[in-house]
């Protein structure tokens, strides 16, 4: 592998690699002992080939009718990119007349198993018992052309982009008799297609030139297809019949030389050819998507400023003799779970408690999921919120929590929602229930229309005066794939929106805009904060599988459901040839019709939304699965199928992170953030330790540093107000102080160390466990007394554990100092040797 110097315009954590293109030939030879689905007749077999890294469209063999041992001996050619993970999908089908064809099997084969100039003959066993199999031959040949460079971060690859300019001169075409539409198509390009109309009996002038542009990967086997279609008027509706082509022309784009004009003639009306001029233009090399797993420059600059605030606060609360400097300053983070209005209210209270204890300025990060993000997004509308008395914010929240919500569903508000969603549609977004839910939240918990946006919150970080907020969501599949089978962490900050697993981020201002191959192609207005609140805290887009997992913590039934569908079919010969980076050959057996229907019912999210996919146009690096950062955050079987991962998806489907784990730990566990202490505020009612235990299990499986959560039966029965978890064997794991909603000593004490009088005992009787609790997830309106008691209760629990928090901070400072001392000794030793 050869590397070249990185351009200065590229982020520091991505680099350039040299790449070659190869010619791949795939010969579908034969299949044997295919039984099909018909009981009476033999199967009518054909094979489909799909290689999305080369062509968007599938290729297909001819159908061999009534034959259980079909022999095709057909060859298909593909253009292969050397630095991209190329997975060829071969699917066997049984053709049916009058009904949908039956999908029998699909084989996913890593083309990294094929070496240059060395034909490989593979036999893929579908069913060893019945002897069903498919025989295919692969041949890879080099293409004699100069090597090119690609931009990569080791997980994602961005090949060179090409911009095809197509110019048409309508004036040179004689008047047509029929209304005719010209359709220009480049499959897999950003634009996909352009259309223009030729109108009969209309004289065109000299200014009738039209220019169209297509953006696509220069290394792909893209083709320009130009077709003229007759257009028929029906009543007042005009449509074109795609099958009624007057003429059709296809031009392979890899034969067009850059900076030279190519003329193409399309036979047109009255035997007068339509002339098209094709030209390749240069595309800007600088990407608008940041590729890299490191922190962005803005966050790094914020940390320098915040360190000064944290150092001063720690010196005061810990009564230190000397100032903390540099690496001696520990990173403290707040982690807040979801829980609807309960989480929203309780986070206000906990932040107020930290402020009263002088600890709020010790916090560097604050991560939230679901309902807690409603509090965060409201607070950060004020650039100096943490420097003011939190009691003002609590009084403001109380006003909205206790007011009736009937006006949210009034006719006037419904009209307003409709107008707003119509406007978002005009701005290029795709309105959904998630957007409607965000508007409802704005009506319930805000004072009128809130024009602020997430990027506006940068003002609250300008001088390091507040902790950095991180809002968490997960990207899931919109179709019949459960959250257990596919989820990807997506974090939002005022600086960036990023998908952790891929090391790809965009500016927060650009969220919702259209990207292709890392370039910003079409800018849309940044969504107002209410739409993001609806996305982060959409308590209604839960599917049945999510519900099962969250209520039972058992996902074995779903694993069993999936196991019979996907299996490794590599034989010993393939295993010997396959390098570590090559993906195993997998056989996918489609479910029965009944199973497919049931799966759809279990996984369907009828009221979620879709967002623009800023990874569109990227590909997975040939060694992506071996990248340490990718491996850390991959956690589903779909991660081994690059054709099913997000770069190939049309849209993102972002939902409430609580549908997997109702916590916001992941952003705080990125090693680049170096978090030492996590104050974990858990706002669930009936399962106060579940999210913590799920996080521990998740981190253990992923190799992420997190303390072990091990509780005895006695500890589970007698729940505490605060749990402290420390991993003495792993000094890089953060100290976690977990605060569940547990009403223990508050029943007897109104303040730490101050017993209640007999007449005050009722104030301590707060129901946070039963089905009749006033703080249930579906309740968005509290009485004033219920709100006030929740504030007192949560602040008491925090203050009653102040000694545990201070002890953890002292431990973190000591660890930091020792680590800093060891680093200095090591540096001095190294310099002495030099």
């Amino acid at each position: 592998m050869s590397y070249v110097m990185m351009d200065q315009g590229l982020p520091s954590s991505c680099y350039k690699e040299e790449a070659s293109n190869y010619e791949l030939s795939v010969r579908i030879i034969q299949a044997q002992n295919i039984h099909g689905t018909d009981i009476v007749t033999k199967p009518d077999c054909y094979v489909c080939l799909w290689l999305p890294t080369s062509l968007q469209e599938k290729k297909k063999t001819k159908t061999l009718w009534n034959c259980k041992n079909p022999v095709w001996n057909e060859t298909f050619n593909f253009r292969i990119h050397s630095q991209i993970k190329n997975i060829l999908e071969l699917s066997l089908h049984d053709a049916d007349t009058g009904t949908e064809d039956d999908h029998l099997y699909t084989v996913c084969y890593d083309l990294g198993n094929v070496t240059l100039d060395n034909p490989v003959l593979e036999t893929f066993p579908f069913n060893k018992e019945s002897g069903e199999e498919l025989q295919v031959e692969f041949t890879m040949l080099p293409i004699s052309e100069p090597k090119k460079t690609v931009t990569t971060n080791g997980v994602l690859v961005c090949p060179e982009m090409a911009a095809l300019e197509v110019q048409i001169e309508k004036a040179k075409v004689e008047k047509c008799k029929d209304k005719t539409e010209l359709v220009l198509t480049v499959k897999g390009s950003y634009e996909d297609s352009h259309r223009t109309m030729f109108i009969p009996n209309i004289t065109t002038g000299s200014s009738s030139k039209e220019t169209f542009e297509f953006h696509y990967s220069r290394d792909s086997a893209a083709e320009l297809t130009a077709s003229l279609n007759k257009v028929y008027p029906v009543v007042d509706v005009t449509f074109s019949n795609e099958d009624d082509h007057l003429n059709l022309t296809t031009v392979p784009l890899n034969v067009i030389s850059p900076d030279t004009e190519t003329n193409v003639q399309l036979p047109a009306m009255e035997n007068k050819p339509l002339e098209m001029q094709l030209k390749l233009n240069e595309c800007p090399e600088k990407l608008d998507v940041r590729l890299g797993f490191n922190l962005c420059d803005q966050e790094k600059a914020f940390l320098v400023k915040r360190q000064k605030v944290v150092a001063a606060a720690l010196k005061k609360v810990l009564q230190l003799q000397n100032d903390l400097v540099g690496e001696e300053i520990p990173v403290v983070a707040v982690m807040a779970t979801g829980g609807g209005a309960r989480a929203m209210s309780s986070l206000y209270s906990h932040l107020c408690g930290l402020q009263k204890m002088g600890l709020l300025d010790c916090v560097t990060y604050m991560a939230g999921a679901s309902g807690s993000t409603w509090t965060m997004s409201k607070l950060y509308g004020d650039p100096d919120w943490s420097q003011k008395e939190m009691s003002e914010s609590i009084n403001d929240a109380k006003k909205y929590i206790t007011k009736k919500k009937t006006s949210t569903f009034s006719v006037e508000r419904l009209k307003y929602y409709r107008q707003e969603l119509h406007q978002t549609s005009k701005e290029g977004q795709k309105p959904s229930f998630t957007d409607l839910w965000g508007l409802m939240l704005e009506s319930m918990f805000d004072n009128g229309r809130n024009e602020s946006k997430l990027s506006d919150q940068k003002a609250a970080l300008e001088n390091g005066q507040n902790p950095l907020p991180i809002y968490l969501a997960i990207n899931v599949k919109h179709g019949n794939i459960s959250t257990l089978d596919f989820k990807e962490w997506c974090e939002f900050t005022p600086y960036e929106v990023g998908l952790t697993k891929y090391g790809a981020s965009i500016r927060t201002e650009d969220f919702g805009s259209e990207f292709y191959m890392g370039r910003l192609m079409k800018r849309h207005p940044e969504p107002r904060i209410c739409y993001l609140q609806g996305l982060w805290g959409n308590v209604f887009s839960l599917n049945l599988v999510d519900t099962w997992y969250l209520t039972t913590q058992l996902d074995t039934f779903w694993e069993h459901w999936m196991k019979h569908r996907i299996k490794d079919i590599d034989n010993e010969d393939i295993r010997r040839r396959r390098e570590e980076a090559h993906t195993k050959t997998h056989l996918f057996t489609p479910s029965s019709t009944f199973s497919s229907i049931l799966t759809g019912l279990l996984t369907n999210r009828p009221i979620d939304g879709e967002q623009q996919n800023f990874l569109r146009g990227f590909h997975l690096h040939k060694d992506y699965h071996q990248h340490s950062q990718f491996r850390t955050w991959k956690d589903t079987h779909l991660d081994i199928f690059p054709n099913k991962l997000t770069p190939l998806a049309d849209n993102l489907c972002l939902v409430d992170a609580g549908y997997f784990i109702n916590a916001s730990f992941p952003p705080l566990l990125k090693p680049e953030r170096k978090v030492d202490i996590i104050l974990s505020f858990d706002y669930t009612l009936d399962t106060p330790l579940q999210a913590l235990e799920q996080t521990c299990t998740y981190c253990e499986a992923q190799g992420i540093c997190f303390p072990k959560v091990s509780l005895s039966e006695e500890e589970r029965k007698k729940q505490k107000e605060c749990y402290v978890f420390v991993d003495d064997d792993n000094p890089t794991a953060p100290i976690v102080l977990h605060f569940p909603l547990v009403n223990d000593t508050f029943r007897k004490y109104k303040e730490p160390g101050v017993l209640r009088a007999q007449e005050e005992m009722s104030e301590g009787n707060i129901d946070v466990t039963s089905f009749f609790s006033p703080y249930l997830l579906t309740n968005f309106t509290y009485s004033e007394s219920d709100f006030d008691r929740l504030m007192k209760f949560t602040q008491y629990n925090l203050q009653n554990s102040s000694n545990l928090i201070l002890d953890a901070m002292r431990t973190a400072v000591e660890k930091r100092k020792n680590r800093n001392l060891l680093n200095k000794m090591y540096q001095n030793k190294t310099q002495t040797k030099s």
Side-chain angles (χ1 to χ4, degrees):
M1 183 183 297
S2 300
Y3 295 87
V4 296
M5 289 297 293
M6 179 191 68
D7 287 358
Q8 293 188 7
L10 294 171
S12 59
S13 57
C14 72
Y15 51 92
K16 290 294 195 74
E17 287 184 354
E18 285 190 346
S20 302
N21 289 309
Y22 307 128
E23 184 75 24
L24 172 72
S25 295
V26 181
R27 184 163 68 98
I28 307 298
I29 302 174
Q30 63 180 354
Q32 292 185 341
N33 302 314
I34 305 302
H35 295 287
T37 56
D38 296 330
I39 300 175
V40 179
T41 62
K42 296 178 181 178
D44 310 310
C45 295
Y46 65 88
V47 176
C48 284
L49 301 87
W50 186 48
L51 184 58
T53 50
S54 178
L55 284 176
Q56 291 296 308
E57 294 181 314
K58 293 183 178 180
K59 294 187 177 184
K60 176 184 172 183
T61 66
K62 59 181 177 289
T63 300
L64 297 182
W65 301 93
N66 199 30
C67 180
K68 64 180 297 184
N69 296 302
V71 178
W72 292 280
N73 203 27
E74 292 186 48
T75 300
F76 301 88
N77 295 317
F78 300 90
R79 183 181 173 90
I80 299 296
H81 193 285
S82 65
Q83 298 307 103
I84 289 174
K85 175 64 79 174
N86 297 293
I87 301 293
L88 177 65
E89 294 190 15
L90 300 165
S91 56
L92 181 66
H93 301 260
D94 182 3
D96 286 323
T97 304
T99 60
E100 187 177 352
D101 294 349
D102 296 316
H103 179 192
L104 303 180
Y105 302 101
T106 292
V107 171
C108 297
Y109 182 72
D110 189 346
L111 294 173
N113 293 310
V114 184
T115 56
L116 284 174
D117 302 315
N118 186 22
V120 176
L121 181 64
E122 300 282 20
T123 299
F124 301 113
F126 293 148
N127 189 320
K128 292 184 178 180
E129 288 75 16
S130 61
E132 291 180 286
E133 61 183 29
L134 176 68
Q135 195 174 66
V136 184
E137 183 183 59
F138 300 90
T139 304
M140 192 91 72
L141 298 174
I143 297 176
S144 58
E145 59 184 25
K147 288 189 175 183
K148 299 174 182 177
T149 59
V150 296
T151 304
T152 181
N153 65 351
V155 173
L156 294 176
V157 173
C158 184
E160 294 182 4
M161 176 190 273
L164 175 69
E165 181 184 300
V166 183
Q167 190 176 91
I168 301 167
E169 296 189 47
K170 289 186 175 182
K172 293 185 179 181
V173 179
E174 295 178 0
K175 291 183 290 184
C176 52
K177 295 179 181 179
D178 300 308
K179 190 174 183 180
T180 308
E181 182 183 47
L182 172 65
V183 181
L184 301 172
T185 303
V186 177
K187 290 291 184 182
S189 67
Y190 164 72
E191 296 80 4
D192 189 65
S193 64
H194 289 293
R195 297 171 182 266
T196 186
M197 203 73 69
F198 293 90
I199 311 296
N201 302 319
I202 293 182
T203 304
T204 56
S206 58
S207 61
S208 64
K209 287 185 178 180
E210 282 198 66
T211 302
F212 305 97
E213 199 168 30
F214 292 95
H215 296 84
Y216 62 97
S217 172
R218 182 175 291 179
D219 294 323
S220 67
E223 297 176 331
L224 169 68
T225 300
S227 62
L228 284 166
N229 309 319
K230 288 183 180 179
V231 178
Y232 304 93
V234 177
V235 192
D236 292 327
V237 180
T238 300
F239 72 95
S240 63
N241 185 352
E242 296 288 345
D243 295 325
D244 192 5
H245 298 303
L246 295 176
N247 290 286
L248 184 67
T249 297
T250 300
V251 181
L253 298 183
N254 57 359
V255 301
I256 301 176
S257 301
D259 302 321
T260 60
E261 196 171 273
T262 301
N263 294 315
V264 175
Q265 291 187 341
L266 177 66
M269 298 72 72
E270 285 77 41
N271 297 319
K272 180 71 174 181
L274 175 63
E275 293 186 357
M276 299 185 297
Q277 287 78 45
L278 310 182
K279 183 181 178 182
L280 282 182
N281 296 323
E282 290 294 327
C283 292
E285 186 176 4
K286 188 175 184 300
L287 303 183
D288 298 304
V289 175
R290 185 176 74 87
L291 294 181
F293 296 90
N294 57 335
L295 304 181
C296 69
D297 292 340
Q298 290 173 300
E299 184 172 339
K300 292 176 182 177
F302 160 80
L303 291 175
V304 173
K305 299 172 184 176
R306 186 63 180 173
Q307 270 191 335
K308 298 177 182 178
V309 177
V310 171
L314 284 172
K315 183 179 180 181
K316 183 176 181 180
V317 297
L318 299 181
Q319 300 179 355
L320 301 176
Q321 294 289 331
N322 301 316
D323 293 338
L324 297 174
V325 292
E327 290 298 314
E328 296 177 347
I329 306 171
V331 177
V332 181
V334 164
M335 190 291 304
T337 71
R342 177 180 65 249
M344 176 183 176
S345 306
S346 299
L347 182 55
Y348 275 112
S349 178
H350 276 136
L351 294 175
C352 182
L354 290 175
Q355 187 182 62
K356 289 178 179 179
M357 296 159 64
L359 299 176
L360 188 53
D361 280 343
C362 300
V363 177
T364 299
Y365 290 106
M366 179 159 51
S370 197
S372 60
T373 64
W374 304 344
T375 299
M376 294 164 58
S377 55
K378 181 68 174 177
L379 285 174
Y380 281 85
D382 181 355
D384 299 307
W385 70 266
S386 69
Q387 308 306 311
K388 299 177 180 179
E389 287 291 334
M390 282 293 298
S391 56
E392 297 179 17
S393 297
I394 289 179
N395 289 334
D396 191 43
K398 180 179 179 180
K399 179 174 64 175
Y400 296 111
I401 290 288
T402 58
K403 79 171 184 177
K404 293 182 178 180
K405 307 298 189 296
T406 52
S407 61
T408 301
F409 306 98
S410 66
V411 175
E412 291 75 15
R413 293 303 295 179
L414 293 176
K415 288 181 179 178
Y416 168 72
Y417 301 153
R418 182 177 180 180
Q419 293 171 355
E420 284 294 296
L421 295 177
H422 179 67
Q423 181 61 32
T424 61
S425 178
K426 288 174 61 177
E427 292 172 351
Q429 304 297 338
K430 301 176 181 179
S432 66
F433 179 85
T434 299
D435 299 317
L436 176 60
W437 174 238
L439 291 170
M440 290 179 177
L441 288 175
E442 182 182 53
S443 174
M444 289 189 284
F445 301 127
D446 221 319
N447 185 20
R449 180 184 171 91
N450 186 350
E451 293 290 349
S452 70
K453 301 175 177 63
L454 179 56
S455 62
D456 296 337
Q457 295 181 11
K458 285 187 284 190
L461 309 173
E462 190 173 359
N463 301 310
Q465 68 268 40
N466 300 297
L468 174 67
I470 307 175
Y471 306 85
L472 188 63
I474 53 174
N475 180 43
V476 298
K477 291 291 185 182
H478 184 72
N480 60 350
I481 297 178
S482 77
T483 307
L484 299 178
D485 295 321
F486 184 87
K487 65 271 183 184
E488 299 172 335
W489 302 111
C490 181
E491 63 175 55
F492 293 72
T493 75
Y495 301 133
E496 288 189 327
V497 177
L499 286 165
T500 304
K501 185 165 71 181
Y502 302 102
S505 308
I506 58 172
R507 297 190 320 150
T508 301
E509 294 90 333
D510 296 330
F511 180 71
S513 294
E514 297 179 34
F515 287 80
Y516 181 71
M517 294 184 66
R519 280 82 168 183
L520 178 60
M521 305 299 292
K522 188 175 183 180
R523 189 182 299 279
H524 296 304
E526 181 185 355
R528 295 194 292 118
I529 195 68
C530 70
Y531 293 114
L532 296 182
Q533 288 175 325
L535 184 158
W536 299 325
N538 187 354
V539 297
F540 297 110
S541 63
L542 204 67
N543 64 30
L544 294 179
V545 173
D546 295 338
T547 306
W548 175 274
Y549 177 69
L550 290 174
T551 55
T552 67
Q553 303 185 55
L554 298 175
D555 56 356
T556 53
F557 91 101
W558 192 254
E559 290 180 2
H560 177 73
W561 182 271
M562 296 298 296
K563 277 183 179 177
H564 74 282
R565 298 173 60 189
I566 299 174
K567 63 180 180 180
D568 173 14
I569 60 170
D570 278 345
N571 57 37
E572 289 301 322
D573 181 53
I574 297 179
R575 291 191 182 99
R576 283 195 300 270
R577 285 189 280 108
R578 186 180 63 233
E579 297 176 6
E580 185 181 359
H582 292 173
T583 304
K584 296 178 181 179
T585 306
H586 287 89
L587 173 67
F588 170 77
T589 306
S591 301
S592 65
T593 303
F594 173 76
S595 296
S596 298
I597 294 173
L598 182 58
T599 302
L601 290 173
L602 292 172
T603 60
N604 186 38
R605 300 178 189 275
I607 49 178
D608 57 13
E610 294 182 337
Q611 294 79 30
Q612 299 288 347
N613 180 12
F614 56 86
L615 297 190
R616 186 182 164 208
F618 282 112
H619 292 291
L620 277 301
H621 191 276
K622 65 182 181 65
D623 300 323
Y624 81 96
H625 210 256
Q626 304 304 310
H627 195 284
S628 59
Q629 293 279 23
F630 183 90
R631 288 205 308 268
T632 298
W633 300 105
K634 72 176 180 66
D635 63 340
T636 66
H637 73 278
L638 284 185
D639 286 319
I640 62 177
F641 297 102
N643 295 356
K644 295 186 181 296
L645 294 182
T646 300
L648 280 181
D650 292 331
N651 299 284
L652 301 177
C653 185
L654 297 175
V655 299
D656 192 323
Y659 299 151
F660 174 46
I661 298 176
N662 185 25
S664 54
F665 284 108
L668 306 177
L669 301 178
K670 293 175 67 171
E672 295 82 6
R673 292 198 165 112
K674 302 178 182 179
V675 174
D676 300 281
I677 299 174
I678 299 178
L679 303 178
S680 170
F681 297 135
D682 192 333
Y683 303 129
T684 53
L685 288 185
D686 51 350
T687 54
L689 295 169
Q690 177 177 307
L692 187 69
E693 291 178 306
Q694 287 176 332
T695 301
C696 178
T697 301
Y698 175 83
C699 291
E700 188 175 3
Q702 307 307 113
I704 299 171
C705 292
F706 195 80
K708 294 180 181 179
V709 178
S710 180
L711 300 172
S712 65
E713 286 301 319
E714 184 178 346
E715 288 176 313
R716 290 181 183 279
K717 291 177 182 178
K718 179 62 176 177
Q719 295 172 351
K720 298 189 296 186
E721 297 162 347
C722 178
Y723 296 83
V724 181
F725 298 98
V726 181
D727 192 343
D728 294 326
D729 297 329
N730 187 355
T732 58
I735 301 171
V736 176
L737 290 90
H738 188 68
F739 296 87
L741 288 181
V742 172
N743 190 7
D744 185 14
T745 60
F746 183 70
R747 296 179 184 275
K748 296 180 179 180
Y749 293 85
K750 62 181 179 181
E751 293 179 14
V754 181
L755 283 168
R756 296 184 185 277
Q758 189 62 37
E759 62 272 14
E760 297 174 320
M761 295 301 289
S762 61
E763 289 296 314
N765 187 23
I766 297 180
D767 183 3
V768 289
T769 57
S770 80
F771 184 75
F772 302 100
S773 171
Y775 310 112
L776 293 178
L777 182 66
T778 53
N779 186 16
F780 292 92
T781 304
Y782 298 162
S783 68
E784 289 193 8
S785 60
D786 286 335
F787 181 86
D788 291 340
R789 287 200 292 177
L790 183 62
M791 295 298 103
K792 293 176 182 177
F793 158 59
T794 46
Q795 286 188 40
Y796 167 86
N797 280 3
L798 185 66
Q799 293 169 355
N800 198 40
S801 304
S802 60
N803 60 321
L804 297 177
I805 300 175
L806 294 175
D807 287 345
M809 289 185 172
R810 293 189 185 96
T811 301
V813 168
E814 199 63 31
K815 280 185 177 180
R816 281 273 182 165
K817 285 186 175 181
N818 291 338
R819 196 183 310 160
N820 193 43
L821 181 62
L822 289 174
N823 288 338
K824 286 182 178 179
M825 291 173 61
Y826 176 77
Q827 291 174 1
N828 292 335
K829 188 176 180 180
T830 304
Q831 291 174 356
T832 302
K833 286 184 177 180
S834 300

